[in-house]
Amino acid sequence: MDEERGPSAVKHADVGKNGGHDGHDHGGGESPGWKSHWALLLSLAVLVAMLTLEYGFGYVPSAPLGLAIYGAAYLLAGYKVLDLAFRKAMRLDFFNEFFLMSVATLGAFAIGSYSEGVAVMVFYSIGEWFQDAAVNRAKRSIKALLDIRPDEVSVIRNGTAMVVDPKEVQIGETIQMKSGEKVALDGELLSEKASFNTAALTGESKPDTKAKGEKVYAGMINLNTVAEVQVTSLFRDSKLSRILEMVQDATARKSQTQLFISRFAKVYTPIVFFLALAVCAVPYFIIDDYDFNVWFYRALVFLVISCPCALVVSIPLGYFGGIGLASRNGILFKGSNFLDVMTRVNAVVMDKTGTLTHGVFKVQQVVAHGLEEQELISLTAAIETQSTHPIAKAIAEFAGAQTLQVSKIEQVEEISGHGLKGMIDGKQVLAGNTKLLKKFNIPYPLEIEGIVNTIVVVAVNGQYAGYITIADEIKEDAAQAIREMHALNIQTVMLSGDKQTVVDEVATKLGIDTAFGNLLPEDKVAKVQALKDQGRHIAFVGDGVNDAPVVALADAGIAMGGLGSDATIETADVVIQNDQPSKIVSAIKVGKITRSIVWQNIILAMTVKVIVLALGAGGVATLWEAVIADVGVALLAILNAVRIQRMKV
C-alpha cells in the first residue's frame, strides 16, 4: 500500500478505506484547488514558453542553459513523484508507477530529450490531479448524500428547549424540530401529526405524513409545523448512522473485477518493466548497426505507456459510482461485489407479505344477512376493539365514522383459534372464523368456505349475520416490477406461508411465473435449493430476518423496508429503503450499468496501451504520443466512470 500520493501528497489509506482504490493513491482531498498545484502550473508555463521559442521562433538554448531551465521545470512538476519513487526503491519496491515515471523521465534527460522528459512528468502530474479530483468528487457525493446528521438539536429539559450536541441526548428525552429542521435522532412522534421529507433516506421526495406514536428517523426533514419526538436510539445507533457506516464499508468490499485488476497490475507492471529492458538490450545481439540512444528511447516510450493508472483508478471509481447511484435511489449495496452478483441474477424469489403486499390488512368486502350493513360493521368493530389482532385492528379502522354508537360492551371472551364472543348493547355477538359458528351450532351458507381472502364470520343472537373479508393490499408498483423483470428475462417466483388460494390470487394479479403457499421456512429453503440445482442465479427478496436461511442460500439477499429494521440491515446484502418492489429492478439495472462502464474502461485502456506499446517498440511513437495516450486514456476512463453518478434508473 502506498504511503502517500505523489502529486498530491495525501495519504491513500483514506481512499483505500472509503474509496476502495487498491493502494493506487489518488487523494488530493486536502486542497484540490489550483493554488495547491502552483508548482505544476508554473512548470507547465515554462514548458509552453520553451516550446514556443523553439518551434515558433527557432530559438534553441545551449545545452547547459536548456538543462538548467528544463531541469527546474522538471523538479517543479515531479519532485513529489521522485520522492515517492526513491522511498519505495529503498523498500525494494521498484514496480510501481512512480518508479516507472521517474526512470522514463530521467532517462529522457540522460539522452538529451529535455523537453520530452519535462512533458512526460507535467502531463502525468496533470492527469493525476484530475484523477484525484474525480475520486474526491465521488467520495464527497456519497458522504453528502448520507452524512446529513445535524450538529445540534433542541432538547426539552425541565420544560425548556436547550440546544445541545445530538451525542449528548439520551434515550427517553424529547427533542423538538421547527419547520425545515432535520431530525437528529431516531424516535417516536409525540405531536399529533407531522409531515417529513424522507428523500435522504429513501430516495423519494414526496412528503411522508406521520401520526402520533409512529417512528421518525434521523435525516428526515420536518416540513410544516413544530414537532416533538421522543428519542429511542442514541446518536451513534440511529438508522442514518448505521446506513452511512454501511455505505462507507461497502467500498472496501471489492468486486471480483476489482480484485482481478489488482492482481493483474501486480503482475503486469514488472512484466512491462522487463520488456522495456528487453526492447533496449535484445536488439544489441541481433542488429548490426545498433544505436543505444535509439533503443533506449524506445524503451522509455514503452515504460511511459505501460503505467496501469487508468485501470487501477477508474475501475474502483466505477464501482464507487455504482454504489452512489444506488444510494440516491434508496438502494444500499453492502459491497461492490454485490453489484456484480446482481448482473448475473436470472431468477428473483420473493416473499409475499411486506414485499409484494403492504403487510397491512384492509377490509375488502362486507356482506350482511338479516340486518343492515352499517349495523353489522358497527357490532363487529365494537367487539373487535377488544382485541389486538391485526385483523381486528383492520376492521376497527375500516369502521371509523360508520360505527353506530354502542353504549355497552361487556363479557367479551376470546376463544383461542376461533374468535371473539361478547355482549354488545344486550346482543350476543360472535365474530371469528367458521369454526366459531360450528362450535355454537349456528348454520351458515357453505359457499363462504370457498372465499379466497381471510374472512370474519359474524353471528348475532344465535343467527348468522354476514361476513367481512380482509386482505393484504398489493403494493402499487408490484405489477410494474414483475413486468420489468420479465422484460429482463428474469424468472419470478413467490414463496409464502399464506394459504395457497391467497398466494395464487396475488400471483395471478401480478403475473408471477410460479407461486407456492403453505410453506414453512425449511420449505422455502428447499424451493430455493431446487432453483439453484437448475443453475439459476437467485436474488431472494424478503424481510431478511424470518427468512434468514433463504437469504443465506441465495446469491443475493434483498431486504424490503430495511429502514425500519436493524436486523434487516444486518442480514441482507442489498437493502431497499423505500419498500418498493420496483427498486428490485433498479438494483439489477445499477449493477448492469456499472459492469458495462467498467468493461468499457478495461477494453479502452488495454486496446490503446497495446497499440502504443507496439508503436513505441517499433520506433513510430515518441514520448509525446506515449504520455498523451497514457494521460488521455486515464482521463477518458475516469470521466466515463464518473458518468455513472449522473445516470437514472
Side-chain angles (χ1 to χ4, degrees), residues 106 176 245 387 405 429 537 571 581 608 611:
L106 290 173
Q176 186 182 77
E245 180 182 351
S387 172
Q405 294 297 316
V429 177
H537 293 281
T571 306
V608 173
I611 292 172

Side-chain angles (χ1 to χ4, degrees), residues 363-378 380 395 398 402 430 437 444-445 447-448 451 453-460 463-470:
V363 170
Q364 303 296 309
Q365 187 181 23
V366 178
V367 177
H369 180 82
L371 73 169
E372 294 293 327
E373 180 180 302
Q374 191 173 8
E375 184 180 2
L376 174 66
I377 295 171
S378 176
T380 308
I395 293 174
F398 174 77
Q402 295 186 57
L430 299 174
L437 270 61
Y444 60 88
E447 58 264 26
I448 68 175
I451 293 174
N453 294 330
T454 301
I455 183 171
V456 175
V457 186
V458 183
V460 178
Q463 298 292 318
Y464 168 72
Y467 64 85
I468 299 174
T469 61
I470 313 290

